Amino acid sequence: MSKKFIEEKMVSITEDLDKIRTKPLVYISYIGKQGALHLSKELLNNCIDECINPHSPGRNIFVELDARTNKMTAIDDGRGFPFDSMIDACTVIHSSTKFIRATGGGSAGENGVGITATNALSEFFEIDVHKLGERSTITFKDGKLVKNTGVVPCDDKKKHGSKVSFIPSPKYLGDCEIEHESFLAWLEDIQHLLDQSITIDYVYIDKEGKKSKFKLKNVNGLYDMCKELEPSLLCDPIHIKDSVKFKEKVRDVESGNMEEKDRFLGLEVAFTYKKPSTGRTIDEPVIKSFCNFVHTIRNGTHADAVRNTVAQFLVRATREIMSKKELEKYDITSQDALFGLVLTLAVTTDSNPGFTNQTKENITNPGMYKVYSDLTRLMLVDYFKTRPKELKKLCDYVKTNAKARYEATKARGAVIRRDTDKLSELGIKGYKPANDKSKKGYREIFLCEGDSVGGNAEKARDKMVQALFLFRGVPYNTFNKKAYEALNNEEFKNLTSVLRCGIGDRFDLSKLYFDKIIIMTDAD
């Protein structure tokens, strides 16, 4: 049977706001509450971009979140949007001053989409601009322009800056309440990255109308952020920062030719280690990275370069302070320098960072790896040149990590296979198994000292459910011993096998073969 030929209609969306509403995930990666939070960050990033711009007088940012209406407002005292570009800035995608990065500042703006997406996905959106004794206001409802005052004189001739307000639309985002806690947590991170001359005043109005006020300002940069990441640290964070100028090859849009441009890179790093716990466990590194005031939650090229360079530097330094005997026994690796590492870093650059999408969660720009790595290495060398005691403390920690790894490897090698069958059980010296081998059967084990006690227990036990394990008169003293040293003792190796729940980092109580352990040894 032949199929009927049906021509499908081609759908074309011409208006940029409609494009964003139709496929919001293409432009902001999230909908719902996360989407609303992302739009709130877009507003703040615009204010921050203005205040860090070397050509702007902006230094103060005011933010208000009113939970009664779910309305967010952000105000800066910068230059304000250009009057003749206000409508384009919030209705046309790829409207931006950041494409050629000619101002020399490190901006979060990249694609010229943020403000337009905010307008498209809002039930209410407004921009109010003051500058040079004049004012202009535009208001949108559901993406439709409902008010345009044009440029009119204003009473306050000295007032300057932009005020942007929006209410996210459930029509396009679903449940889109702007969460105060999440927004405040983001602000508390961002404050550590700002120039110390910039202040953010945040006011939250809850659903009962109660106001909470927060003043956010950078004091000690990433040093403070690093200390906040972990409650217990080995030492105060190592805090370093510097900048470098370099050449970046960019393609000229008109000619298509590659041209070299002068670029700037600022890098701030703070790192330390978690304080080792009594039962020393292996901790993966904790890394928090930023690029141009954006939290790159998935890290990327910048974080990889800094992390690897810090690890390589400390590995070399640790090897230099070790004796020949220690070097032969312990092979120091980058893994040892990464265990327990707490690292924060922030990049500021007017080059192309390589953000992977509009939400800018990751950076992929392999060409910048060497720039990040070289600058990090220079900063480390310069810092520790006059602080040898701090370096030694870190190296001692790395060496301890190497020893712990060595001991864990030996312990794993000493543990024999946990699963034992009936035949192998009979070959374990001093062990008399219970007859019930079923998976769900109830079993007990008596730990006895010496043949005399063991003989009496053997006569009295219920052989169906009760097992015996006999120690010799004075078992090996395990006090202050490493796991692998204890397992070099045949009795403890056998006991580990009998119990079947592992030891050290392989210990799993849920796999214990017995329901009850009765210790019948002397007190000593």
Side-chain angles (χ1 to χ4, degrees):
M1 180 178 176
S2 60
K3 292 182 180 180
K4 187 177 180 180
F5 185 87
I6 300 176
E7 191 78 63
E8 291 189 350
K9 184 180 179 181
M10 179 67 73
V11 177
S12 298
I13 303 173
T14 56
E15 294 294 326
D16 285 348
L17 296 185
D18 290 335
K19 292 176 184 178
I20 296 170
R21 292 193 195 101
T22 305
K23 295 289 183 182
L25 294 177
V26 173
Y27 298 92
I28 65 169
S29 297
Y30 304 108
I31 56 175
K33 293 180 179 180
Q34 243 185 315
L37 180 62
H38 175 77
L39 298 180
S40 303
K41 293 177 182 179
E42 289 286 357
L43 251 65
L44 258 293
N45 280 332
N46 273 333
C47 294
I48 291 170
D49 284 351
E50 180 60 25
C51 288
I52 65 172
N53 191 297
H55 305 306
S56 170
R59 288 296 176 270
N60 299 289
I61 299 170
F62 174 81
V63 193
E64 182 180 273
L65 172 58
D66 191 337
R68 297 169 299 182
T69 58
N70 204 32
K71 182 179 179 181
M72 169 74 74
T73 300
I75 306 171
D76 67 67
D77 60 351
R79 297 162 296 177
F81 285 85
F83 287 136
D84 59 357
S85 302
M86 287 172 63
I87 293 178
D88 282 351
C90 61
T91 59
V92 180
I93 59 175
H94 307 314
S95 297
S96 175
T97 62
K98 317 294 190 333
F99 291 129
I100 59 174
R101 297 185 176 273
T103 59
S107 165
E110 181 78 7
N111 302 313
V113 173
I115 285 294
T116 306
T118 305
N119 184 16
L121 301 173
S122 297
E123 61 183 39
F124 171 85
F125 179 86
E126 184 174 83
I127 300 178
D128 186 18
V129 175
H130 289 75
K131 64 165 71 181
L132 304 174
E134 296 178 316
R135 177 184 183 181
S136 181
T137 305
I138 54 174
T139 306
F140 292 80
K141 290 187 178 179
D142 202 23
K144 304 295 182 185
L145 182 65
V146 296
K147 177 182 177 183
N148 183 358
T149 65
V151 182
V152 297
C154 64
D155 296 332
D156 189 348
K157 304 298 182 183
K158 294 182 179 180
K159 188 174 182 179
H160 53 86
S162 298
K163 172 184 175 183
V164 183
S165 303
F166 84 104
I167 301 174
S169 172
K171 181 178 177 181
Y172 304 113
L173 295 173
D175 181 8
C176 55
E177 178 185 357
I178 303 172
E179 294 183 321
H180 158 66
E181 292 82 4
S182 299
F183 185 68
L184 178 60
W186 177 74
L187 283 178
E188 288 173 340
D189 276 348
I190 291 299
Q191 70 175 329
H192 299 307
L193 312 177
L194 297 174
D195 185 280
Q196 291 182 333
S197 63
I198 297 173
T199 301
I200 298 177
D201 286 294
Y202 171 47
V203 174
Y204 171 64
I205 306 172
D206 67 18
K207 292 180 180 180
E208 283 70 47
K210 182 182 176 182
K211 288 186 178 183
S212 300
K213 297 182 179 181
F214 307 87
K215 185 176 288 288
L216 301 116
K217 196 175 179 69
N218 184 3
V219 179
N220 298 307
L222 292 187
Y223 175 90
D224 289 336
M225 183 186 291
C226 192
K227 290 190 75 171
E228 292 166 4
L229 272 184
E230 286 293 329
S232 182
L233 298 173
L234 176 73
C235 59
D236 284 343
I238 308 303
H239 187 207
I240 50 180
K241 54 183 176 180
D242 205 344
S243 61
V244 65
K245 292 182 179 180
F246 64 101
K247 300 285 186 181
E248 181 186 33
K249 287 186 177 181
V250 296
R251 188 177 299 280
D252 181 72
V253 178
E254 294 183 1
S255 68
N257 297 327
M258 296 299 292
E259 298 179 352
E260 280 196 343
K261 299 286 186 181
D262 291 326
R263 295 303 193 206
F264 165 88
L265 172 74
L267 178 61
E268 182 177 2
V269 176
F271 72 94
T272 182
Y273 284 94
K274 296 179 188 177
K275 196 171 184 178
S277 58
T278 305
R280 192 172 184 86
T281 55
I282 301 302
D283 293 306
E284 292 300 314
V286 175
I287 300 175
K288 200 165 191 176
S289 65
F290 296 82
C291 181
N292 288 349
F293 305 96
V294 175
H295 181 194
T296 45
I297 59 176
R298 301 185 190 279
N299 296 317
T301 305
H302 59 327
D304 292 344
V306 173
R307 178 198 62 204
N308 294 342
T309 304
V310 168
Q312 290 161 8
F313 178 87
L314 291 176
V315 166
R316 283 195 297 269
T318 303
R319 286 174 178 167
E320 288 173 3
I321 67 168
M322 291 172 66
S323 67
K324 185 178 179 180
K325 187 177 179 180
E326 286 179 319
L327 286 170
E328 289 173 354
K329 188 174 183 179
Y330 307 114
D331 178 27
I332 307 296
T333 68
S334 291
Q335 186 182 36
D336 302 319
L338 291 175
F339 284 149
L341 179 68
V342 181
L343 170 66
T344 57
L345 64 122
V347 171
T348 308
T349 183
D350 57 357
S351 68
N352 174 22
F355 289 122
T356 53
N357 52 35
Q358 178 58 24
T359 45
K360 305 179 178 77
E361 294 177 344
N362 186 20
I363 284 180
T364 304
N365 190 347
M368 287 293 292
Y369 186 98
K370 189 175 186 302
V371 180
Y372 296 131
S373 180
D374 288 349
L375 182 55
T376 303
R377 188 175 296 106
L378 287 172
M379 290 193 296
L380 289 169
V381 170
D382 186 61
Y383 180 88
F384 287 114
K385 192 183 296 181
T386 56
R387 299 172 178 86
K389 290 183 179 179
E390 290 183 46
L391 180 58
K392 186 179 184 305
K393 189 167 188 175
L394 298 182
C395 291
D396 287 342
Y397 185 93
V398 173
K399 187 163 63 170
T400 302
N401 278 345
K403 290 179 178 179
R405 178 174 53 82
Y406 172 80
E407 289 161 6
T409 302
K410 288 195 70 172
R412 282 194 295 269
V415 176
I416 62 175
R417 194 163 63 94
R418 282 188 237 156
D419 296 329
T420 56
D421 56 25
K422 187 173 182 179
L423 186 62
S424 63
E425 281 182 340
L426 294 173
I428 297 176
K429 186 177 179 181
Y431 178 51
K432 300 183 185 297
N435 292 333
D436 187 353
K437 302 294 192 297
S438 61
K439 286 186 178 179
K440 295 184 179 179
Y442 177 84
R443 284 178 291 272
E444 300 177 350
I445 185 170
F446 290 87
L447 305 183
C448 302
E449 182 181 344
D451 292 334
S452 58
V453 177
N456 293 330
E458 170 65 18
K459 293 175 185 177
R461 74 181 177 116
D462 180 347
K463 294 183 180 180
M464 192 64 187
V465 297
Q466 292 177 326
L468 293 178
F469 186 85
L470 304 179
F471 285 98
R472 62 187 179 184
V474 183
Y476 179 68
N477 186 356
T478 60
F479 181 72
N480 248 356
K481 294 292 190 293
K482 308 295 184 186
Y484 75 89
E485 292 175 320
L487 289 169
N488 283 334
N489 176 267
E490 194 66 25
E491 284 183 315
F492 284 112
K493 185 188 290 187
N494 288 340
L495 180 61
T496 301
S497 178
V498 164
L499 297 179
R500 304 191 189 184
C501 57
I503 190 171
D505 60 354
R506 288 191 172 189
F507 176 74
D508 185 351
L509 187 60
S510 67
K511 295 183 179 179
L512 179 64
Y513 188 58
F514 300 94
D515 297 279
K516 184 184 287 186
I517 299 174
I518 301 102
I519 301 174
M520 296 177 61
T521 62
D522 292 340
D524 61 350

